[in-house]
Amino acid sequence: MDFNGQYNGYFERFEKKLSEILASLNTSAPALITDAMRYSVAGGGKRIRPVLCLSAADMLSADIEKACTYAVAVELIHSYSLVHDDLPAMDNDDYRRGKFSTHKKFGEAVGILAGDALLNFAFEVCLGQENLTDCDFAAMKILAESAGYSGMIAGQVLDLQYEKKDAGEKELYEIYSNKTAKLITVPLLIASALCSRAYYEQLERVGYHLGIMFQIVDDLLDVSGDLATLGKTPHKDEKEDKLTSVKVFGKTGAVKNAKFHYESALEILKKIPGSTFLCELANKIYGRNS
C-alpha cells in the first residue's frame, strides 16, 4: 500500500473509534459541556499523533485495536491543550482548525471546563478497557506524565515565563522539548509500552527530534502562513513577543535546525525494522505547509 493509502487507513480507523467513544458520552451530563467537548475534538486536524500511535503499533506488531483506544486518549488530551492554549489568559486566539476556538464558540468559562472534561475523559477511556494488563498501566503512566506538570504543562508554563524576555537557545529547547515534543513522543512510547517497551529508548529519541522539528516548522509557518492555510491566526508569535526558533536563530537558522532534527529522527528510525511508513510520515511533517 502506498503512503497516502496507509495514512488514510489509519486516519479512518481512528475517526471511527473516536466517533464511537464520543457517542458514549453520558447523556445525563449537561448538553452544553458534551457539545463543547465534541466541538473541540471532532472534525479537524491531521490527526498526526493518532497516526503515529497506530503506525508505531503496526511496526511493533502491537494490538492495533488497543492502540486505537490510546490514540483517542492522546487526541483528547491534545485537544484539551489546544482549547486552553487559545484562552485569553494564554495565547488568546479566536480560531483553531479553521473555525472559532472553543471559548469563542461557547464562552470562556465553558472553554475552560471543556478542556478539563477532555483531560479527565481521556483517562476514563483508557481505564474503561477490558482485561487491563501491566502494559496498559505502563502506557497510562507514560501518558499522564507526558501531559502533566513535568511534561507538556511544564512547557506551557515556561512558554509563559519566557514571553517578552531576553532568553536563548537553552530556554527555547526547554520549552519545545516539553510543550510540543512530549505529546509527539507519547504515541510512540505507548505503542512501545504495549509491546513490553520494544525499541523504547530509540522511539523516545525519535519523538524528541520529531517534536522539536514540528514546533520549528510551526514557527516558520506562523511567519509565512495565513489564516486560511493555517486554520489559526498567523503572526501571533511576533506580536506576543514569544520565544521562538525564528526569534532565536533567525529564519535561516530555524530552517537549518528543523532539517537537523528531521535527519536525526530518520537516522534512528531507519535502524528499526518496518519503519518505512514512519520515515515517510516524518518527511511529510517536515515538509508540511499548514
Side-chain angles (χ1 to χ4, degrees):
M1 187 182 295
D2 65 5
F3 174 82
N4 289 334
Q6 197 169 348
Y7 189 101
N8 290 336
Y10 291 135
F11 186 97
E12 289 166 11
R13 182 166 196 155
F14 167 78
E15 289 292 337
K16 182 175 183 290
K17 188 69 170 180
L18 175 64
S19 295
E20 291 171 0
I21 286 173
L22 290 178
S24 75
L25 284 167
N26 193 330
T27 54
S28 68
L32 182 58
I33 192 62
T34 53
D35 286 349
M37 291 167 72
R38 290 189 183 94
Y39 179 87
S40 302
V41 74
K46 300 178 186 66
R47 309 304 196 193
I48 288 172
R49 291 157 191 81
V51 171
L52 280 169
C53 190
L54 294 178
S55 58
D58 250 356
M59 179 181 73
L60 300 174
S61 299
D63 182 333
I64 195 73
E65 184 60 25
K66 187 177 282 289
C68 203
T69 299
Y70 285 106
V72 171
V74 171
E75 191 68 6
L76 291 171
I77 290 176
H78 173 56
S79 296
Y80 121 73
S81 76
L82 299 182
V83 172
H84 281 189
D85 266 351
D86 291 336
L87 289 167
M90 299 280 280
D91 288 347
N92 192 24
D93 205 320
D94 291 349
Y95 296 94
R96 175 66 67 175
R97 293 171 171 169
K99 59 185 183 180
F100 277 130
S101 49
T102 303
H103 77 274
K104 290 298 292 184
K105 177 78 173 177
F106 293 91
E108 187 176 346
V110 174
I112 293 169
L113 294 170
D116 295 343
L118 288 169
L119 172 59
N120 284 279
F121 188 50
F123 288 100
E124 285 185 49
V125 167
C126 292
L127 290 164
Q129 300 175 96
E130 295 181 355
N131 303 317
L132 292 172
T133 67
D134 287 346
C135 289
D136 287 299
F137 291 115
M140 287 182 236
K141 186 171 188 289
I142 291 164
L143 180 57
E145 289 175 348
S146 297
Y149 72 94
S150 61
M152 180 186 71
I153 290 173
Q156 291 173 316
V157 170
L158 292 168
D159 188 35
L160 292 172
Q161 282 186 337
Y162 291 127
E163 194 174 286
K164 300 179 175 66
K165 297 283 179 63
D166 183 20
E169 182 176 351
K170 176 180 177 293
E171 292 81 6
L172 180 78
Y173 273 86
E174 194 175 6
I175 294 169
Y176 286 7
S177 64
N178 287 290
K179 183 180 179 182
T180 307
K182 291 289 186 179
L183 279 198
I184 294 286
T185 306
V186 77
L188 303 174
L189 298 187
I190 285 172
S192 173
L194 295 177
C195 292
S196 302
R197 292 175 62 93
Y199 296 100
Y200 189 93
E201 289 76 16
Q202 294 95 320
L203 290 171
E204 189 170 37
R205 295 201 305 275
V206 167
Y208 168 80
H209 287 299
L210 286 180
I212 300 296
M213 177 196 75
F214 185 98
Q215 186 58 58
I216 294 173
V217 171
D218 220 45
D219 295 344
L220 291 164
L221 290 172
D222 183 75
V223 172
S224 61
D226 54 36
L227 177 60
T229 303
L230 300 178
K232 59 182 180 179
T233 307
H235 313 301
K236 283 187 65 65
D237 291 339
E238 184 178 4
K239 182 180 177 182
E240 301 292 334
D241 197 14
K242 290 279 190 181
L243 184 63
T244 70
S245 59
V246 175
K247 181 178 179 180
V248 172
F249 303 118
K251 188 174 179 180
T252 301
V255 169
K256 182 179 178 181
N257 274 274
K259 183 179 181 183
F260 167 78
H261 288 289
Y262 164 63
E263 291 177 344
S264 297
L266 277 190
E267 184 180 351
I268 302 164
L269 271 175
K270 286 178 178 178
K271 296 175 183 176
I272 303 176
S275 63
T276 302
F277 177 86
L278 276 171
C279 289
E280 184 61 22
L281 180 57
N283 180 52
K284 296 295 184 183
I285 296 171
Y286 177 56
R288 69 194 172 97
N289 59 10
S290 64

